[in-house]
Amino acid sequence: MNIPVVENVLKINDQLAALNRRRLGQASICAINLIGAPGCGKTALLEATLRLLSADFRCAVLAGDLATQRDADRLAKYCPRVVQINTGKGCHLEAGHVAQALEQLNLADIDLLFIENVGNLICPVGFDVGQNYKVGIFSTTEGDDKPAKHPYIVMEADLLLLNKIDLLEHVPFDRELFEHDIRRLKPDSRLLALSARTLAGIEPWIEQVRQWKNAAPGKQ
Amino acid sequence: MNIPVVENVLKINDQLAALNRRRLGQASICAINLIGAPGCGKTALLEATLRLLSADFRCAVLAGDLATQRDADRLAKYCPRVVQINTGKGCHLEAGHVAQALEQLNLADIDLLFIENVGNLICPVGFDVGQNYKVGIFSTTEGDDKPAKHPYIVMEADLLLLNKIDLLEHVPFDRELFEHDIRRLKPDSRLLALSARTLAGIEPWIEQVRQWKNAAPGKQ
């Protein structure tokens, strides 16, 4: 009785995600879904990214959290198109959340859409929201064992980021083990290391976003 | 169609949790459920706790993770009774996981049972596993906004910990705001700040566990 319902929920979600993807594609918007644990630095990464890209692209952000609009408030300083999605007790964004949030935006005014998922390294991985690319974010302060313990984000992400490299000297973190575990799970995985706070290593990430925007619509 | 099934799952879980709690109570075991984000330091806290308590109490640990037995391997150095629970894609421990894992242990040999939940600040909060006490763990590196963004763990926890205070000088963290948000959600909330790595502030936590053990069974 349980499993068919779960499948049904996922099927409805996939249908809504396909609709989102079509709408976004028709508007030539490249959509990037950011997934990571609470405090891995998703919002800080977006602050830096918006600052560095907003001269060239019209950006928008959907910020998912259980409660508060603190992320939206932070991001509104760098971007006039921010929608906060509060999920209540919901542990991930679903395609329906994104469809509703898109109603708040004029899609003709947007080049790049960042979807900051709820802080959770597990549940958001399984829910397509209509993005073109999924980015998985780890941080040095979480420890080097997180890819091994959370293999599904490694398998599903188009790109992995290791954030907070400015704190490497202050925390126990075996970078070789971290990267080895990622390659073991997915040999062709792509990983960029950076600090959203100091901007060390940020350029390859910014360049990747530019490339994705220039390639989209296309993937998926 | 969806909601009744979810309610049903929760009802079955609650029944199993009550069974676990009864079994543990009959064996005079005090069970503590540790909930926190990936990398907040649950395993490091247990390493320190086992080291400091194992002369006085016979401890056991159930370690929940999607994959790997790395936590069990780390904890086995300090405790002969460790069971690793791998949930696959499961984002939280359920009472059934704990019931199964207890089959691996001789309950007559145990005074204190630590249940290290899957690294996730959201989903584990809603699932009773038969513990006597729930402990919510934040860490300074996750940022000061986590209680406000994750109110349910604040409401549900018997005790909150702020880990990694040794890193406070290296990260942006407004401790006043962090504590204010907690009190706003739950005025009588109890919070201890510590570093599992340097052991700064660890004594009040150890003392709390002793008190819980000496009080149990009783609560719930």
Side-chain angles (χ1 to χ4, degrees):
Chain A
M1 186 174 169
N2 189 18
I3 289 170
V5 177
V6 171
E7 277 179 359
N8 199 28
V9 168
L10 280 172
K11 200 168 155 190
I12 292 171
N13 184 76
D14 284 349
Q15 287 166 350
L16 275 173
L19 279 176
N20 289 346
R21 190 170 287 112
R22 198 181 315 153
R23 279 185 74 190
L24 294 167
Q26 281 167 349
S28 296
I29 295 171
C30 175
I32 299 171
N33 183 1
L34 301 173
I35 297 174
C40 72
K42 295 180 289 303
T43 313
L45 179 72
L46 281 177
E47 288 176 317
T49 304
L50 294 169
R51 256 166 51 204
L52 293 166
L53 281 175
S54 55
D56 298 332
F57 299 110
R58 297 166 303 167
C59 298
V61 183
L62 311 183
D65 277 302
L66 273 63
T68 80
Q69 62 170 49
R70 293 193 189 182
D71 282 359
D73 291 344
R74 281 172 64 182
L75 296 169
K77 289 178 197 157
Y78 306 99
C79 175
R81 289 165 292 269
V82 180
V83 181
Q84 179 80 50
I85 302 171
N86 282 150
T87 59
K89 291 190 178 179
C91 53
H92 59 273
L93 289 182
E94 299 194 5
H97 292 121
V98 170
Q100 269 192 295
L102 290 180
E103 295 299 321
Q104 311 294 316
L105 297 168
N106 181 357
L107 300 194
D109 284 347
I110 301 171
D111 300 313
L112 269 170
L113 176 70
F114 295 97
I115 301 165
E116 181 182 349
N117 222 305
V118 176
N120 182 338
L121 202 42
I122 306 171
C123 314
V125 181
F127 285 82
D128 186 3
V129 294
Q131 75 285 321
N132 299 102
Y133 301 98
K134 268 187 206 174
V135 176
I137 308 180
F138 296 106
S139 65
T140 60
T141 51
E142 294 165 14
D144 48 44
D145 57 354
K146 292 305 165 291
K149 287 179 166 185
H150 294 269
Y152 302 108
I153 183 66
V154 175
M155 305 304 291
E156 290 288 328
D158 296 291
L159 175 69
L160 295 173
L161 301 182
L162 174 62
N163 190 22
K164 307 196 189 182
I165 56 168
D166 56 307
L167 295 174
L168 266 173
E169 63 186 299
H170 303 296
V171 295
F173 189 91
D174 182 337
R175 197 154 161 184
E176 209 168 309
L177 176 66
F178 176 84
E179 297 191 10
H180 173 80
D181 283 337
I182 290 173
R183 309 275 173 239
R184 185 176 49 77
L185 288 162
K186 191 178 178 187
D188 64 343
S189 188
R190 298 183 50 235
L191 172 69
L192 298 176
L194 55 81
S195 166
R197 204 165 127 224
T198 67
L199 304 188
I202 198 90
E203 254 319 311
W205 156 249
I206 296 295
E207 188 48 37
Q208 176 63 81
V209 176
R210 281 182 199 278
Q211 280 181 24
W212 280 343
K213 167 58 195 160
N214 293 331
K219 195 200 165 246
Q220 290 183 339
Chain B
M1 186 172 167
N2 188 19
I3 287 169
V5 176
V6 171
E7 278 181 357
N8 200 27
V9 168
L10 281 172
K11 199 168 157 189
I12 292 170
N13 184 75
D14 283 349
Q15 287 167 351
L16 275 172
L19 280 176
N20 289 345
R21 189 170 288 112
R22 198 181 316 152
R23 279 186 73 191
L24 294 167
Q26 282 166 349
S28 297
I29 296 171
C30 175
I32 299 171
N33 183 2
L34 302 173
I35 297 174
C40 72
K42 295 179 290 303
T43 313
L45 178 72
L46 281 177
E47 288 175 318
T49 305
L50 294 168
R51 256 165 51 202
L52 293 166
L53 281 175
S54 54
D56 299 331
F57 299 110
R58 299 165 302 168
C59 299
V61 182
L62 311 184
D65 277 301
L66 272 64
T68 81
Q69 63 170 51
R70 293 193 190 182
D71 282 359
D73 291 343
R74 283 172 62 181
L75 296 168
K77 290 178 196 158
Y78 305 99
C79 176
R81 291 165 291 269
V82 180
V83 181
Q84 179 80 51
I85 302 171
N86 281 150
T87 59
K89 291 189 177 180
C91 53
H92 58 273
L93 290 182
E94 298 194 4
H97 292 122
V98 170
Q100 269 193 293
L102 291 179
E103 295 300 322
Q104 311 293 318
L105 297 168
N106 181 357
L107 301 194
D109 284 348
I110 300 172
D111 300 312
L112 269 170
L113 176 69
F114 296 98
I115 302 166
E116 181 182 350
N117 222 305
V118 177
N120 182 339
L121 202 42
I122 305 172
C123 314
V125 181
F127 285 82
D128 186 2
V129 294
Q131 74 286 323
N132 299 102
Y133 301 97
K134 268 187 205 173
V135 176
I137 307 179
F138 296 105
S139 65
T140 59
T141 51
E142 294 165 14
D144 47 44
D145 57 354
K146 293 305 165 290
K149 287 180 169 186
H150 294 269
Y152 302 109
I153 182 67
V154 175
M155 304 304 290
E156 291 289 327
D158 296 292
L159 175 69
L160 295 174
L161 301 182
L162 173 62
N163 190 22
K164 307 195 188 183
I165 56 168
D166 56 307
L167 295 174
L168 267 174
E169 63 186 299
H170 303 296
V171 294
F173 189 92
D174 182 337
R175 197 155 163 184
E176 209 168 307
L177 176 66
F178 176 84
E179 297 191 10
H180 172 81
D181 283 336
I182 291 173
R183 308 276 172 238
R184 185 176 48 78
L185 288 163
K186 192 179 178 186
D188 63 344
S189 188
R190 298 182 50 237
L191 171 70
L192 299 175
L194 55 80
S195 166
R197 205 166 127 224
T198 67
L199 304 188
I202 198 90
E203 253 321 308
W205 156 249
I206 296 295
E207 188 48 38
Q208 175 63 83
V209 176
R210 282 182 199 278
Q211 281 182 23
W212 281 341
K213 167 59 195 161
N214 293 332
K219 196 202 165 247
Q220 290 184 339

